[in-house]
Structures are given as structure tokens and as C-alpha cells.
């Protein structure tokens, strides 16, 4: 007589129920997002048909809030109704898609909004002023399964703007429609990297080993900041050449690019010697560690500051594998970071005035 495997059966049933609950939650989230969009649409349509005076919209929202709260309870404060209205304004181009879906006319079954993103996600996305950036964050949040907290962090650290440095107008539009596509080494590079999660002081007393230890202690957050595809290999992986020992700070493997990525940490302004050192590490890994299935190694120097002209003169003009990027230990103000990025882009392109 066969023995009943209750533990194994129990585990399978648990997995089925948990998946079902996840699906139900996603469905509920998706339906509520659509409902809020439709409420926003109705409010705007009523405004357009009603009195054009400035206070009309405010009185309309307040009266509707009272009625809805009386009927449904919490969740329909005036501020929430304003959010619904603004939500529709941000995404009103999805009107045909959503209305067709509600009538059961959408062959693909799409509702116009991701079932993986909650109302909290979309409230964050509404704060993003530029439509291209908003679209990028929505695509990346869905693709990577970002929590609302992770999405907020990426928006606040200007993830989209930091990826734009090496892209033209066409590249920017591609980010907005397709998200981050990783096809070549430059696609994984940001400048600057934002490491505020380390909670380290901006101090001249900071040592490289302390920075390295902090990154290892916060490896999950660091991997998120690095981006998709990075797998951690190790720290201080010794390289020996005729009895001399060298220690690259951090070694990763990039799954999508199929190559090693070596990161060297500097607590000061970049020097030409730093670039020479990372070049040595890259050449060593290419010749000694790389297999026939691997692509050429990538090297990244993370420093507090750099001279872009020095970088261009030290590295070959055709360089596509060695990069120098700055890092920030505090989350900079948006206007300051944008000013920095514009200034550095002007240096690179020679568009200085």
C-alpha cells in the first residue's frame, strides 16, 4: 500500500493557493487602477461641461468626496479625487485601449495598465513630469518587479536621466518605449552611481576598504543600483604576476552581456594611473579567465570625481570596455544632478560656451 506523502502534497497545495492569491491581488489591483482612471475621466468630463470658474472644480471635488465617503466609507477624500483626476490627465492617451477592454473588445485582453503595478506605483509615476521618463519607469517597474519603494528610489535617484548621458534623441525615445535594452557595454553604465543606501559620510577620512565593506554589506541594494544582469563573483580576487599580487576590488559576471565586469573603487578624484590599473585587470581577465563562450571583459572605475578630458586621452578612441564613473554617497538634489549631467555632456561633445 502506497504511503501518503502529506508534507509533499501540503507544499504543492500551498504553492497553488499562494499563486492564486497573488493572481487575485493583481486582478484586484488592476481593476482598482482602471476604476480610479475612469473616476478621474468622469470628473474631468463634468468639469468641461460645467461652470468654467476657477472654484468650480474645487467645489465639485468636495461635494463628490462627501457623497462617496457617505456611500463607501474611507478612500475618497478630496486629495484622492484630485489624484484620480490627475491620473487620467497623465494617461488619457490610453482611453481607446481601456474602453475597448471594458467592453470585451480587446483581443489581447490588455487593460492599458500593468497588473503587476499597484495604485501606489502609479501615484509615484504621476510625479514624473516628463512623459518619456514616466513611460521608462513604468516599463522598468513592470519588467523588474520593483516594489513601490524601489520605484520611488529609482525616480528620486534620476535613473532615467543617468542613462541618457550616452544616448541621443533617438536613444532617449527608445528608452521611453522599450525600457533599458542591454546590447553593448555602454548600456549598463550610469554616471553618477547613487550609493546613498550605504549611509556613509562624505568624508576625506573614508578608506577604500570601508567603502568596499559597505557595498558588500548592502549587496542587494548595490546590485539594484548596478542594474539588470549583474551576478556577484567575489571581492579582492587575487591576481598574481611573477610573484607580484594585485587585488581587484569587486568582480561580477554580467549574464546578458556574457562577460566579466571588474569594478575598482577610488575614494578620490580619478587619476590616469587608476585607468592604467583597471586596464591591466581587464587584460588579465581576458587572457587568463575568459573562456570561448565569454565576451571581452568590462572594467569600471568608481571615483568621487574625474576629468573627462583625461579619460578621453588615456583611453583609446575606440574604447568600448573601460569606463570611469562617479559615485555619490548622498542623494543629490534633482536640479543639481541635471546641471552636472548637462555640464559633463557638454565636455564630451565639445559643446562648451
Amino acid at each position: 500500500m502506497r504511503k501518503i506523502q502529506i508534507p509533499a502534497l501540503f507544499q504543492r497545495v500551498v504553492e497553488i493557493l499562494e499563486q492564486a492569491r497573488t493572481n487575485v491581488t493583481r486582478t484586484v489591483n488592476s481593476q482598482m487602477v482602471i476604476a480610479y482612471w475612469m473616476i478621474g475621466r468622469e470628473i474631468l468630463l463634468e468639469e468641461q461641461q460645467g461652470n468654467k470658474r476657477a472654484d468650480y472644480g474645487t467645489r465639485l471635488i468636495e461635494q463628490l468626496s462627501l457623497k462617496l465617503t457617505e456611500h463607501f466609507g474611507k478612500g475618497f477624500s478630496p486629495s484622492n479625487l484630485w489624484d484620480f483626476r490627475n491620473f487620467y490627465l497623465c494617461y488619457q492617451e490610453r482611453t481607446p485601449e481601456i474602453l475597448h477592454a471594458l467592453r470585451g473588445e480587446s483581443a489581447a485582453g490588455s487593460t492599458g495598465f500593468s497588473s503587476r503595478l499597484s495604485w501606489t506605483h502609479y501615484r509615484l509615476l504621476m510625479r514624473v513630469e516628463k512623459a518619456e521618463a514616466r513611460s521608462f519607469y513604468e516599463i522598468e517597474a513592470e519588467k523588474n518587479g520593483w516594489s513601490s519603494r524601489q520605484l520611488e528610489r529609482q525616480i528620486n535617484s534620476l535613473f532615467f536621466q543617468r542613462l541618457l548621458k550616452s544616448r541621443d534623441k533617438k536613444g532617449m525615445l527608445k528608452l521611453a518605449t522599450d525600457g533599458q535594452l542591454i546590447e553593448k557595454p555602454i548600456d549598463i553604465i550610469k554616471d553618477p552611481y547613487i550609493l546613498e543606501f550605504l549611509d556613509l559620510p562624505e568624508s576625506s577620512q573614508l578608506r577604500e576598504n570601508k567603502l568596499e565593506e559597505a557595498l558588500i554589506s548592502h549587496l542587494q541594494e548595490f546590485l539594484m543600483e548596478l542594474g539588470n544582469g549583474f551576478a556577484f563573483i567575489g571581492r579582492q580576487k587575487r591576481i598574481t604576476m611573477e610573484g607580484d599580487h594585485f587585488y581587484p576590488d569587486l568582480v561580477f559576471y554580467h549574464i546578458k552581456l556574457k562577460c566579466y565586469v571588474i569594478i575598482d573603487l577610488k575614494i578620490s578624484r580619478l587619476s590616469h594611473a587608476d585607468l592604467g590599473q583597471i586596464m591591466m585587470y581587464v587584460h588579465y581577465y581576458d587572457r587568463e579567465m575568459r573562456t570561448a563562450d565569454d565576451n571581452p571583459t568590462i572594467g569600471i572605475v568608481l571615483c568621487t570625481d574625474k576629468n573627462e578630458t583625461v579619460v578621453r586621452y588615456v583611453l583609446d578612441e575606440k574604447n568600448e570596455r573601460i569606463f570611469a564613473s562617479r559615485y555619490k554617497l548622498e542623494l543629490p538634489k534633482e536640479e543639481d544632478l541635471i546641471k552636472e549631467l548637462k555640464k559633463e555632456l557638454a565636455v564630451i561633445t565639445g559643446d562648451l560656451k
Side-chain angles (χ1 to χ4, degrees):
M1 189 174 188
R2 185 184 175 189
K3 185 178 179 181
I4 298 175
Q5 299 292 328
I6 292 296
L9 174 61
F10 172 76
Q11 186 59 41
R12 294 200 301 273
V13 171
V14 167
E15 290 174 0
I16 291 170
L17 289 174
E18 287 181 345
Q19 184 60 54
R21 287 178 177 177
T22 299
N23 291 341
V24 168
T25 300
R26 286 182 178 177
T27 300
V28 171
N29 279 337
S30 181
Q31 291 302 313
M32 292 312 297
V33 166
I34 295 171
Y36 296 153
W37 181 91
M38 293 185 69
I39 292 170
R41 181 171 179 266
E42 291 299 323
I43 291 172
L44 199 70
L45 290 175
E46 178 64 28
E47 284 181 357
Q48 291 172 348
Q49 295 172 11
N51 194 312
K52 298 300 181 183
R53 288 187 306 174
D55 67 339
Y56 179 76
T58 300
R59 288 189 292 108
L60 174 67
I61 292 288
E62 289 175 350
Q63 291 174 15
L64 182 61
S65 172
L66 288 173
K67 287 284 188 182
L68 289 173
T69 301
E70 182 182 329
H71 190 82
F72 291 103
K74 295 180 179 179
F76 297 97
S77 65
S79 63
N80 282 345
L81 294 183
W82 280 114
D83 279 344
F84 300 161
R85 179 185 180 278
N86 293 334
F87 182 46
Y88 172 73
L89 286 173
C90 282
Y91 292 99
Q92 59 184 309
E93 80 283 352
R94 300 188 188 182
T95 299
E97 188 177 1
I98 294 174
L99 294 183
H100 282 308
L102 291 172
R103 296 172 188 144
E105 299 170 359
S106 175
S110 171
T111 63
F113 297 108
S114 171
S115 61
R116 301 189 69 185
L117 303 184
S118 66
W119 171 237
T120 306
H121 285 92
Y122 281 106
R123 286 183 69 178
L124 290 169
L125 289 169
M126 281 193 292
R127 299 179 193 171
V128 180
E129 185 175 345
K130 291 185 179 296
E132 298 90 350
R134 191 186 314 128
S135 175
F136 168 80
Y137 287 122
E138 183 180 9
I139 292 169
E140 289 295 307
E142 178 183 17
K143 186 166 62 177
N144 299 307
W146 289 344
S147 66
S148 57
R149 181 175 294 182
Q150 289 172 327
L151 172 61
E152 184 173 28
R153 193 262 170 189
Q154 297 289 44
I155 292 172
N156 289 342
S157 66
L158 301 182
F159 180 27
F160 178 74
Q161 286 88 339
R162 287 185 288 141
L163 286 176
L164 285 182
K165 182 179 171 182
S166 61
R167 291 166 172 84
D168 54 14
K169 182 69 174 178
K170 185 177 179 181
M172 182 189 74
L173 294 175
K174 198 169 183 63
L175 280 176
T177 56
D178 301 327
Q180 186 183 14
L181 297 179
I182 298 174
E183 299 171 339
K184 51 188 183 299
I186 189 65
D187 294 335
I188 67 171
I189 303 301
K190 299 175 187 172
D191 192 8
Y193 286 82
I194 308 298
L195 309 178
E196 90 293 346
F197 51 84
L198 299 180
D199 197 25
L200 290 173
E202 296 273 5
S203 170
S204 58
Q205 302 300 314
L206 183 64
R207 298 199 303 269
E208 286 177 9
N209 66 326
K210 289 295 183 183
L211 176 59
E212 181 185 324
E213 288 171 5
L215 288 172
I216 295 300
S217 298
H218 296 80
L219 187 58
Q220 185 175 355
E221 292 96 330
F222 186 42
L223 285 170
M224 182 178 177
E225 174 62 9
L226 288 175
N228 281 336
F230 282 87
F232 181 60
I233 301 295
R235 60 185 291 198
Q236 296 292 319
K237 302 284 284 186
R238 188 173 70 179
I239 292 174
T240 301
M241 301 179 188
E242 297 184 6
D244 291 332
H245 304 305
F246 304 91
Y247 299 89
D249 291 324
L250 302 169
V251 180
F252 297 84
Y253 191 86
H254 201 280
I255 297 169
K256 295 185 178 181
L257 293 176
K258 298 187 183 303
C259 67
Y260 286 102
V261 180
I262 300 171
I263 295 181
D264 221 27
L265 305 171
K266 302 299 174 185
I267 57 170
S268 58
R269 185 178 174 86
L270 182 79
S271 71
H272 64 280
D274 298 329
L275 293 172
Q277 185 177 51
I278 196 71
M279 288 171 68
M280 179 183 70
Y281 293 156
V282 165
H283 292 156
Y284 178 88
Y285 264 74
D286 275 347
R287 297 170 191 176
E288 304 297 333
M289 306 297 291
R290 178 183 167 197
T291 69
D293 295 328
D294 296 328
N295 286 317
T297 305
I298 297 171
I300 305 173
V301 181
L302 291 186
C303 54
T304 59
D305 198 7
K306 61 177 178 174
N307 184 320
E308 200 66 59
T309 304
V310 170
V311 174
R312 285 190 290 122
Y313 275 102
V314 171
L315 300 178
D316 188 275
E317 289 182 358
K318 296 181 180 179
N319 166 64
E320 295 181 344
R321 298 195 288 140
I322 298 174
F323 304 92
S325 290
R326 298 162 299 151
Y327 63 84
K328 301 286 185 182
L329 295 176
E330 293 180 350
L331 197 65
K333 293 181 180 178
E334 181 174 345
E335 56 269 25
D336 293 338
L337 186 51
I338 290 176
K339 190 182 298 182
E340 274 190 57
L341 293 174
K342 286 182 176 178
K343 180 180 178 182
E344 197 155 330
L345 184 60
V347 173
I348 294 171
T349 59
D351 187 24
L352 287 172
K353 296 181 180 178

